[in-house]
Structures are given as structure tokens and as C-alpha cells.
Amino acid sequence: MPVQRYSDYPENVTEQKNMNPKIIFVVDDDVTNLTVCRNTLSPVYNVFSFESGSLLLKRLERQIPDLILLDIDMPEMNGYEILGRLKKMQSTRDISVIFLTSKIDAESELEGLSLGAVDYIFKPFSPPLLLKRIELHLLVISQRNELVDFNEHLQEKVDAKTKAVVELQNAILNTMTKLVDCRDDITGGHIVRTQRYMEVLVNEGIEKKYFEDDLLSCEISLLVLSARLHDVGKIAIKDSILLKPCKLTEDEFDEVKKHARFGEDVIAEIQEESTEHKFLEYAKILAGTHHEKWDGSGYPRGLQGTDIPILGRTMAIVDVYDALVSDRPYKRGFSHEESVSIIVDGRGSHFDPMLVDIFLSIADKFKDISECSRQA
């Protein structure tokens, strides 16, 4: 039976055969080998035969196969040279190539594998073995392509999952924020404003190198977001105290002080059920330490100086500034200038001296945030 050669195959052979679309190119200058390969493989695959490397390269300009069976010993261009050319071209370098050879020495096999061949099939062929080897290699190729496709889309999947987690986190956070704001509605937007103040003050602290040892390893976006939970402990305070339209008694103030500890406890419980430890750790520090004072007269632990976490020392300025400029039932809000003066007076007693200096350098930004929030 004469072998069908390159020029004998119609361009629409795949459509005519209506078979498995896997395409195999066979390159060999021996007509008998081409015949064996074609008779063995064509019942299952679309097989194209080429008697030289030049014919193969010409065909590759317009069609890329799934697999190439390539003879090594050919007169015009040997298999090693052809494979070298394939690996240099972007369009062909990923095609799997199996060498066809009668050489059985390890040196020849190593050379071919080093050039990028995936396997050797030795002549003379055993048709059943040839078919099975091709089947296995095409399976590997298919799995490799699936893995490449998966990896290419993996980042998209990770981004989508991350976005979903962040959206859920923000939804829960916004709900808790609204819950606190509703219980303490006299402060009107206090939580959102303090988050914005916090971002400005933290970034300036990093710029001034004051936070270098403490916050450079922090994820600033998470830290700023966690500031929204600094007053979550107010959920536990009675309305009669929280909404009292006049100055609190000493006992009532003692009850209010408990919100710092309670906030820590609430966040700690959430931590036990969550893997998002950084965000919640920041939130717990802010909730539990933003009422501590530099001179040790604050609450709930009476921490002093740098024993107070820097996050708590930062939040203290942010929290007090907004309380000063806000109207309360028992007082009118102070002006920005008056509020800044009060914070300066607390330098070294209530507040970290260095943080007060940093605050002063960007106090106008606090004023802008406050005014924009109240005009909205």
C-alpha cells in the first residue's frame, strides 16, 4: 500500500474524517516507517506525514499539531537540528516531540532529551505499543495544558475570592459601625471620621520615621480599617448612661470606662472564629488602649508612656480631637483652633509628645475632614 505523502492530504482532512481532533505530524525519510505510523495511528488521530524537515517546517507555518514524531537520522536535516529550530520559535517551542530512532545508546538518548524531546520510540515499531505510547503522551499533554490554563486563571480566581472576602468583611464592619453609631448617635459619624483621621496621622508618622520600628510591618489599609471598631465596646453600655444629656456621675463614668475592656473581649471572641488575625489584632489594641494616657492616668489598665501600644497612643489623639470638635448635649463643640490648643496642653500628660508634634504638622487635614463630614 503506497503511503500518502504531504502533498496528498487535503486541507480539510480533519473535517472529512470527523474523528478525534488530535493532530499528529510524523517526519521520517523512510516510507515504510511513515506507512506503519499512519496505518497504526490514523484510525484514532489525524496523521500528517512528511519526508523531510523542510516540509515539516513549511507546514508548521500554518498548522500546529498536538504531537510530532520525529526521525533522528535524515539526510537533509537531522532530528536534532529540527528540534533545535522548533525550540527557538515561539509558535513551536511548546510542541511535544518524540524521537523515532534505531539508536539505542544512552548518549544519543540523553542528547535528544537534553534538547527538549519528551520521549524516544525505537524502531522497528510495535503498532500496539506505538499507539499506547502516543495515547499516554497525549494524555500528559492534555493534563499539562489544563494545568497551564488553571495557573493562568488562578490569579483571577484568587482576586475574585479576595474581593468577595473583603466585601463580606466590609459589610460586617459597616453593620457593626452603624450599630455603634445608632447607640451613640449624638456623636454623628464619629467612627467614620476617626478612621480618616487615623489614616492621615499614621501615614504622617511613617513619613516622619516615628513609626519605623513599630508600624512599617503593618498592613496600613487593615490598620486604618480596624479603627472603625475602636468603640465597639459601647454596645454594652446602658442607653441611660450613653445618651445622658448632661455630665455623668462618677459611677456612671466608671460604667462607661468598661467599654474598652468589653471591646477587647468582643473582638477576642471574633478572633477565635476567624483566620483574619491581623485586622482583628489591630482592632483589639485600638479598642483596649485608646483611653490610656501618657502619664498613666488613663483606663482601663493605667498604662504609661511607651508601655501604651503606639496604635493606642495614636488613636487617643484621633478620638479626643473628634470629641472636642463635636457637639454634645452637655456642651457645644469647640473650634478647630481651640481643640488643637487643648491637645497641645495635653502633650506629655494625656498624649505622646512626639505624636502631638506630628499631629500639629497635619492638623489642617483634620480640620478639612471634620468640616467635610459635617457638611455632607
Side-chain angles (χ1 to χ4, degrees):
M1 173 182 175
V3 64
Q4 285 183 289
R5 300 179 184 177
Y6 169 79
S7 58
D8 297 329
Y9 295 117
E11 295 297 320
N12 63 343
V13 64
T14 301
E15 289 76 15
Q16 285 186 354
K17 291 172 70 65
N18 193 29
M19 294 177 62
N20 191 309
K22 297 296 183 184
I23 298 173
I24 299 176
F25 285 179
V26 183
V27 187
D28 199 314
D29 62 328
D30 188 312
V31 173
T32 300
N33 291 332
L34 290 178
T35 301
V36 172
C37 284
R38 180 164 184 82
N39 290 344
T40 302
L41 301 176
S42 59
V44 182
Y45 307 109
N46 290 316
V47 181
F48 294 80
S49 301
F50 306 89
E51 294 179 10
S52 70
S54 59
L55 291 175
L56 169 70
L57 295 174
K58 181 180 178 181
R59 182 68 176 197
L60 287 171
E61 293 176 0
R62 51 197 174 92
Q63 186 177 27
I64 300 298
D66 297 287
L67 182 67
I68 296 176
L69 304 182
L70 180 60
D71 185 28
I72 293 179
D73 294 319
M74 293 185 290
E76 176 190 336
M77 188 187 313
N78 68 38
Y80 298 140
E81 294 173 312
I82 296 170
L83 181 57
R85 291 196 183 191
L86 296 183
K87 293 302 179 183
K88 290 179 181 178
M89 295 188 292
Q90 185 173 357
S91 61
T92 59
R93 64 188 180 192
D94 293 328
I95 302 174
S96 293
V97 175
I98 298 177
F99 274 135
L100 305 176
T101 182
S102 57
K103 296 182 177 181
I104 58 174
D105 61 290
E107 184 177 344
S108 297
E109 187 171 354
L110 180 60
E111 182 179 0
L113 294 175
S114 298
L115 287 171
V118 297
D119 199 1
Y120 270 74
I121 295 178
F122 296 103
K123 304 174 185 179
F125 307 124
S126 164
L129 183 58
L130 174 64
L131 191 61
K132 179 55 66 174
R133 294 282 284 277
I134 299 302
E135 178 186 339
L136 291 175
H137 276 289
L138 287 173
L139 177 61
V140 170
I141 293 169
S142 176
Q143 292 173 340
R144 181 193 67 191
N145 291 340
E146 288 177 7
L147 182 60
V148 169
D149 183 68
F150 176 81
N151 287 335
E152 288 178 349
H153 293 88
L154 181 60
Q155 189 58 51
E156 294 177 13
K157 295 176 182 177
V158 170
D159 290 344
K161 183 66 174 177
T162 300
K163 181 181 178 183
V165 171
V166 170
E167 288 176 350
L168 177 60
Q169 175 179 281
N170 288 340
I172 294 172
L173 186 58
N174 288 336
T175 300
M176 294 183 71
T177 299
K178 289 177 182 178
L179 179 60
V180 175
D181 262 341
C182 287
R183 297 232 41 236
D184 191 16
D185 60 3
I186 57 173
T187 58
H190 167 73
I191 292 174
V192 174
R193 285 194 302 274
T194 52
Q195 177 186 348
R196 294 172 181 168
Y197 299 144
M198 189 72 169
E199 182 174 15
V200 169
L201 191 53
V202 166
N203 284 329
E204 188 66 16
I206 293 173
E207 182 70 22
K208 293 286 197 300
K209 307 298 183 184
Y210 186 59
F211 294 119
E212 188 168 7
D213 294 334
D214 300 88
L215 286 184
L216 287 185
S217 61
C218 287
E219 294 184 27
I220 303 303
S221 60
L222 288 181
L223 167 59
V224 171
L225 194 61
S226 69
R228 290 188 136 195
L229 293 179
H230 76 277
D231 267 342
V232 69
K234 285 186 176 180
I235 295 173
I237 307 303
K238 296 177 182 178
D239 287 345
S240 60
I241 297 176
L242 197 61
L243 305 179
K244 187 176 180 179
C246 57
K247 191 172 182 178
L248 300 178
T249 67
E250 186 174 343
D251 288 342
E252 288 170 337
F253 188 50
D254 286 340
E255 284 297 311
V256 170
K257 288 180 179 180
K258 293 178 182 178
H259 83 274
R261 289 273 197 180
F262 186 78
E264 282 185 321
D265 292 341
V266 168
I267 295 168
E269 287 184 18
I270 299 174
Q271 278 183 303
E272 292 179 1
E273 304 295 331
S274 172
T275 58
E276 184 49 84
H277 295 301
K278 276 190 177 181
F279 169 78
L280 292 171
E281 188 59 35
Y282 299 154
K284 187 166 69 172
I285 292 171
L286 293 172
T289 63
H290 69 285
H291 285 295
E292 300 288 355
K293 296 183 179 181
W294 186 257
D295 62 7
S297 63
Y299 65 88
R301 296 178 177 85
L303 299 177
Q304 185 175 6
T306 56
D307 288 339
I308 306 169
I310 194 168
L311 300 186
R313 293 173 356 235
T314 306
M315 194 75 216
I317 293 178
V318 165
D319 192 51
V320 169
Y321 174 83
D322 195 68
L324 289 171
V325 298
S326 299
D327 291 335
R328 297 292 174 89
Y330 52 88
K331 77 168 184 73
R332 292 287 297 172
F334 293 103
S335 69
H336 167 74
E337 291 72 21
E338 290 171 321
S339 300
V340 170
S341 178
I342 291 170
I343 289 175
V344 170
D345 288 342
R347 184 182 188 277
S349 56
H350 190 154
F351 307 112
D352 178 339
M354 284 295 297
L355 278 174
V356 171
D357 293 343
I358 293 170
F359 162 75
L360 287 175
S361 70
I362 41 90
D364 287 346
K365 294 183 180 180
F366 274 53
K367 181 181 180 180
D368 292 341
I369 292 169
S370 176
E371 291 178 350
C372 289
S373 172
R374 296 172 208 285
Q375 291 171 3

